[in-house]
């Protein structure tokens, strides 16, 4: 996993624009004081939107990791 992060940092692997957007959106949404479903009123159900945003970002990053790994085996 760390070699993937290093490849992205060293620009050996370029992430798709949607992955950058989803990652940035997940970070902004996690720190933003505004929440679509507030935990204060809905309790654990309020965590569903947070988990959804992080889930989408995780799927996109996993897809990028698989794409990077397949590029290594193709050479």
């Amino acid at each position: 996993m760390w070699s993937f992060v290093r490849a992205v940092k060293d620009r050996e692997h370029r992430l798709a624009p949607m992955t950058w957007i989803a990652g940035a959106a997940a970070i902004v949404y996690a720190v933003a004081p505004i929440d679509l479903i507030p935990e204060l009123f809905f309790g654990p159900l309020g965590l569903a939107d947070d988990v959804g945003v992080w889930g989408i970002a995780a799927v996109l990053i996993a897809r990028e990791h698989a794409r990077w790994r397949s590029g290594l085996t193709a050479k």
Side-chain angles (χ1 to χ4, degrees), residues 7-8 33-34 49 58 66 68 75:
V8 171
I34 297 172
D49 60 336
W68 171 74
K75 291 181 180 179

Side-chain angles (χ1 to χ4, degrees), residues 5-37:
V5 173
R6 196 173 312 113
V8 171
K9 183 180 79 78
D10 294 341
R11 297 179 189 246
E12 295 170 9
H13 177 74
R14 296 195 59 191
L15 295 177
M18 186 52 78
T19 304
W20 281 112
I21 292 169
I27 291 170
V28 168
Y29 189 76
V31 241
I34 297 172
D35 207 1
L36 292 179
I37 304 174

Side-chain angles (χ1 to χ4, degrees), residues 49-75:
D49 60 336
D50 299 334
V51 171
V53 168
W54 284 105
I56 290 169
V59 166
L60 289 173
I61 291 171
R63 184 185 305 164
E64 286 293 330
H65 184 265
R67 192 169 65 94
W68 171 74
R69 193 174 44 220
S70 71
L72 291 178
T73 58
K75 291 181 180 179

